[in-house]
Structures are given as C-alpha cells and as structure tokens.
Amino acid sequence: MGNDTRFTRRNFLKGTGVAAIAMAGGALAGCSSGGGSATAATEPASGSASVAWTKEADVVVCGYGAAGASCAIEAAANGASVIILEKAALPGGSMARCGGAIMGAPTKIQQALGIDDSADALYDWVMTCTDGTCSKEIARAYADVAGPNVDWLDALAEEYLGQPCFEVAMAEANSAVDEGRHNGAVGGCLDATGCEYEKFGVKQEEAVPRTHWATASPDNTANSGPELFDPLLACIEKQDNIEAVFNTALVKLVTNADGVVVGVEASGPDGTVFYKANKGVMLATGGFPAGLEMQERFCQDALDYGTYMCKDCTGDGVLAAMAVGADLYNMCNYYPIEVAQQYHYNVQYNDVYNSWDMDADGYMEVPAMNMAETHGGLVINTDAQVLDVWGEPIPHLYCSGCDTGSNIFGVPGNYPGCGCYVSFSFAFGRIAGKHMADSEAVA
C-alpha cells in the first residue's frame, strides 16, 4: 500500500467486509492488544455499574515516554490527579533510547549563542520538509510551542536536578573552533543535524541550528537520551498527584453510553484492572515499531525491518482507539535505518530506563534494516484530541507521540532534523495535559 495514502478505519473495515459489525461495537478480528480484543468496554452513562474500577484519577496516561511524561507533568501542574500506566517494568520508552536531542525555536540557548530564529521560521521549515502532507494547523500548533518546550525542559532540570539540561557554556567554548559549520553553534548543545538539507535546497553550513542536545553522560558516551529524560523522571517522582503503575498494558478503552471515554481496561501482573479517568485518557504507547501484526495489516513495507528502540511498542494505543471509531493517517510511515551501527550508552541507566540491549561496557550493536519508530497513527486536532472517521473529536480521548499520524513528518524520509519527534511528543503531550486538566469531569 502506498506510503502517502490516507487510510481510514472506515475504508479498512469496508475492505474487509466487517464494517457493519465493527461500527456497531464488534471486535476487529485479529486486532488484539495485551491479550484482549480491540472492542471497547462500555459502562452506563449514569454510573459504573458494569465496571469495577481499580482506581481513578482525573487523567489516565497510557505510556511513560516523552509524550506520556510531558502530558502527566502538565496535567498535574494544572491541578489534575494523574495515573500513568506503563507496559514495561521501567519508564522512558523510546525517548530514553534516543540520541538525546530536542528541536525548537526560538529558545534561550539559541539566543545565548547568537542564533536568530523564530517559530514562524520553524513552521516554514516543517512545511517544506513535509511536502504538503502535514496539516498546516498541526504544524503551526507545534511550531508555536516547540521553543518554549525546550526552555521548559531546561527549567525542569535546574529545578529537580540542580543543573541545566543543555550546556550553553560548552557550546560557547566550541563555537570558535567549529566556526563556519552549522553557523558556528556546535560542539556542546546546539547544531543542525539529522536532515538531508541539500534535498531542500539548503547547504549544510547554512542550516539554522535548532537541535538541542542534552548534556553528555559523565563517561562521554555518545548518546544522551537518558539525560534528556532525567528531568521528566525527577519531576514526576516528586509530584504527589502523579502515580506511575508499571507492567500494566492498555487493552481497551472504556466508554459510557454517550460515547465518552471514561477510563481504560488494562492487563497487569494480577490480571485485568480498570482505571477510571474523570477528565480524559491520553494515548502515548509509542506506535508499532515492534508490532508485527500492525505492520502486516497497515505497512507491509516495514516487515523486513526490526527495531532497536522500544520492544514494547506494538500498537496498543492505536488499536484501542480504532475500536472506538478513531481515524488513521499515513500508516506506512516509519524511520528506516539501512546500515549497521554501533551505539554507546552509559551503563548506569541499565536499571533505570526501559529497552536496553547493551553489553557490560555500554555498547549496543544495531544491525542493518532497522527502524527507530513508526510515524503513522491516529488523527488529532490542535488540542491533541483524537478524531473519529467523521472528523469529530472522540470525547475525552487524546494522543501524542508515535501513536499519532497527524504529525510533522509527512512523506517518509523527510526528517526535519534531530530531536523533532521528541519535540513533537512534548508539544501535543503538554497541550493534551493542559486541555484535560481544564476540562469538565464526567459524572
């Protein structure tokens, strides 16, 4: 199936001959998540007689990666109680395995290094890279908050770790050494990498530096994803109104008779559990780079690729949303890595974050034909609300990160630059958190 083709749940069901059953609430044959079918559990509109809730909170976040963590922090900061459900035994998701970069403009780091940039310029660059396949509204909403989110992460690091996330002084010291490359801002915390600039008529040395790199590990390991996630983890662990539950996978969404998402059914160590969400559910389960069944259904081009990122990202959030009528977009969009690579990580994080395959010295071999993440998934609006096949918001259902098809990638391979997906996850994660905290609770 074509990479650019709009793929809706309605068209998929029509093609398989089960549209009438599924639209009436029946199961999608073979679409399972965490051992359960993809149908939605339903409770009466007037109460919870049919569901024995294990716990409840204002906001339930499914997934403890970049999108889920940023959503939880923002919701809690605006007065909401939050439960994070994480499928794995440890937090971090794909973000803890990433290179440690986040994109944004304008930022305090750019200003300190003399880089003149703006949200408008970032928006124009995203629209150039996506070649018209990205929603202008989504790109605009992203560009407007991407820069402030970099500053927000740096402020979290100062507050909860007692040190900045980005070493401006190191970049200043190196800028003279590397003058003429990436506008001179390189070697500490800011550069312009990860994009085939020439493809868009931009020389590498003329590219605007928007990629902010977290401070390197003490042992100088090359990748610093954990350092990027550390401020989020430290913040969440000190919040009284955020609870993290591990080894617990999303199975289904629970809706009331009015179609409002009121909670989730999950699979935990002791079996089936139900979490009530008074103000909303956030889907941040990381897409489906490790989801063979999802790839067979929606992206057969990816079947020859493994994944070196999060092995728990099998499409749970996308499947659960499909069962309540969510629309899909750009499903066969993923980030391929064609050649073998070697990564070096700090071994101190082996028992802190999820998805590590490194040896005793911190080295991990990544074979050829691998993928970092999938970029196709659910359709959202600028409030991060998940939309149904008719373009209407599914009440109290939100999404960000790799579960989202409405993103800033468009044509597969047109990567705007290192750190753009962490940045996107933060953008709509925080938007969703604020929106849910401010929304009216379901009775």
Side-chain angles (χ1 to χ4, degrees):
M1 58 189 67
N3 285 345
D4 309 350
T5 304
R6 183 171 178 80
F7 203 119
T8 67
R9 175 177 179 267
R10 180 176 45 180
N11 290 338
F12 166 68
L13 295 173
K14 188 181 297 182
T16 58
V18 295
I21 297 175
M23 295 301 277
L28 280 175
C31 284
S32 62
S33 174
S37 72
T39 54
T42 303
E43 69 155 8
S46 60
S48 56
S50 64
V51 176
W53 298 109
T54 304
K55 280 188 177 181
E56 69 175 271
D58 292 328
V59 172
V60 173
V61 176
C62 302
Y64 197 167
S70 58
C71 176
I73 292 171
E74 190 67 22
N78 285 277
S81 59
V82 182
I83 294 175
I84 305 174
L85 304 180
E86 170 54 49
K87 185 177 184 179
L90 296 169
S94 296
M95 182 181 175
R97 177 59 78 69
C98 78
I102 178 172
M103 180 178 285
T107 68
K108 293 178 180 178
I109 291 92
Q110 285 181 313
Q111 183 179 13
L113 295 171
I115 304 300
D116 184 20
D117 205 358
S118 68
D120 288 343
L122 177 57
Y123 167 78
D124 290 341
W125 175 243
V126 168
M127 295 309 297
T128 296
C129 291
T130 56
D131 197 25
T133 60
C134 174
S135 158
K136 292 181 179 179
E137 292 77 18
I138 292 294
R140 184 73 256 180
Y142 160 76
D144 286 343
V145 299
N149 282 345
V150 175
D151 296 340
W152 170 77
L153 183 65
D154 205 33
L156 286 183
E158 290 276 15
E159 180 176 358
Y160 292 99
L161 300 176
Q163 63 185 34
C165 190
F166 310 102
E167 286 283 359
V168 175
M170 187 184 299
E172 289 176 324
N174 280 279
S175 61
V177 176
D178 296 302
E179 190 170 359
R181 179 171 179 260
H182 306 319
N183 290 344
V186 69
C189 69
L190 184 68
D191 65 16
T193 54
C195 176
E196 298 179 38
Y197 291 102
E198 291 78 6
K199 183 165 62 174
F200 305 104
V202 177
K203 294 181 180 179
Q204 179 75 50
E205 61 270 17
E206 296 174 348
V208 179
R210 298 187 177 112
T211 294
H212 300 69
W213 296 91
T215 302
S217 300
D219 64 354
N220 258 348
T221 52
N223 287 42
S224 49
E227 285 78 19
L228 199 66
F229 202 93
D230 277 348
L232 305 178
L233 180 64
C235 175
I236 287 174
E237 289 183 338
K238 293 180 181 178
Q239 305 306 310
D240 292 334
N241 53 346
I242 302 179
E243 177 186 0
V245 181
F246 296 95
N247 297 304
T248 301
L250 169 66
V251 176
K252 302 174 186 176
L253 297 167
V254 181
T255 60
N256 66 18
D258 295 322
V260 179
V261 175
V262 295
V264 305
E265 175 185 334
S267 177
D270 298 321
T272 299
V273 285
F274 292 90
Y275 289 88
K276 191 173 190 296
N278 296 318
K279 293 190 172 186
V281 171
M282 173 65 168
L283 299 176
T285 64
F288 53 96
L292 179 60
E293 181 180 348
M294 291 288 285
Q295 293 165 16
E296 288 174 340
R297 286 179 173 275
F298 298 114
C299 190
Q300 295 180 14
D301 294 351
L303 289 175
D304 291 333
Y305 291 82
T307 182
Y308 73 97
M309 297 293 271
C310 188
K311 302 292 196 299
D312 297 292
C313 297
T314 57
D316 298 353
V318 177
L319 286 170
M322 285 173 60
V324 296
D327 200 2
L328 306 177
Y329 182 64
N330 216 7
M331 287 296 284
C332 198
N333 189 346
Y334 58 97
Y335 189 73
I337 297 173
E338 306 291 348
V339 298
Q341 300 182 33
Q342 183 188 72
Y343 294 144
H344 188 200
Y345 298 98
N346 191 320
V347 294
Q348 76 183 56
Y349 293 109
N350 194 37
D351 298 322
V352 178
Y353 293 116
N354 184 34
S355 294
W356 299 100
D357 297 321
M358 56 183 159
D359 62 22
D361 296 319
Y363 289 94
M364 182 183 72
E365 304 296 332
V366 176
M369 298 294 285
N370 227 290
M371 75 167 84
E373 66 268 330
T374 53
H375 296 155
L378 305 174
V379 176
I380 62 170
N381 62 17
T382 55
D383 289 327
Q385 295 172 294
V386 177
L387 304 184
D388 65 17
V389 295
W390 314 114
E392 296 297 325
I394 297 173
H396 282 209
L397 186 61
Y398 298 78
C399 181
S400 186
C402 293
D403 284 342
T404 312
S406 303
N407 52 46
I408 57 170
F409 289 94
V411 177
N414 284 12
Y415 200 66
C418 289
C420 57
Y421 215 87
V422 169
S423 182
F424 175 83
S425 298
F426 275 20
F428 289 93
R430 294 189 71 197
I431 287 171
K434 177 68 163 59
H435 204 274
M436 285 187 282
D438 292 344
S439 68
E440 185 175 346
V442 178

